[in-house]
Amino acid sequence: MKWTAAKIRALKGERKVAMLTAYDALTGSLVDGAELPMVLVGDSLGMTVLGYETTLPVGMDEMLHHTAAVSRGVTQALVVADMPFMSYQPSIEMGLVNAGRFLKEAAADAVKIEGGALRAELIEALVANGIPVLGHIGLTPQSIKEMGGYKVQGKTSEQARQLMDDAMAIEQAGAFALVLECVPAELGELISKALTIPTIGIGAGAGCDGQVLVFTDLLGMSGKPVPKFVKKQADLNPIMTQALAAYRNEVESGSFPSAEQEY
Ligand code: KIV
């Protein structure tokens, strides 16, 4: 069964939603094979795969290239493409054109947009034109320069009220679900209870309707520390490094290839 935005929305109150990022056909097919209903081609691509320091340098060409690859590896999961920094902020028209490119050129099923009430008009325009939208509030990495770092958001009652208003505005604008990143668990639960669409938390506690994590964090691939909200399900970096070093040793010692690998 191919997942649609409407089917994801209908999971609210029925079952928790597990979402993971993917960046190419291989990682997409792994997520799809594990039967997760949603895969996010996150602009975290910039740090996890492309070697940038932040998500800010990631552009449309890179996101289209990697989203198309994920779509080729996925048959069932809903493929959500992250709209990169400055692909939608300048105008509604620019957001519409670029979101449309993800569906037309990269076979995405939906797009994700960072920001609260400020993005309501764009979300309405996208949904009215047939483009499902996943909202994203709380810690929004494209605003990292303005936020002053990767910090928990919504800690004061004023900030918490603002985030609640943002969440309501995004639901009203027609988003099918909302990512809540790095907010206190209590606020994550309050917002989840107030909305009729699923909340997908990342560092937003167990009260959310679903969870999303970064593929390479979940599997311990980078060898670097991961944020507190990640629970690693594997530690692949040392295993991969060991395998690569074993290969190097065997080539250097002449024990690979052996007769078994020869024609
Ligand atoms: O880019 C990304 O991977 C994200 C998720 C962490 C929500 O935005």
Side-chain angles (χ1 to χ4, degrees), residues 17 19 137 178-183 188 192 198-213 229:
V17 185
M19 184 183 202
I137 61 170
L178 175 64
V179 170
L180 282 181
E181 180 163 352
C182 279
V183 299
S192 303
T199 56
I200 311 294
I202 173 162
C208 294
D209 302 300
Q211 300 292 327
V212 58
L213 285 176
F229 56 73

Side-chain angles (χ1 to χ4, degrees), residues 139 150-155 159 181-184 203:
L139 171 55
Y150 296 96
K151 298 175 189 158
V152 177
Q153 303 294 305
K155 283 181 22 180
Q159 285 174 349
E181 180 163 352
C182 279
V183 299

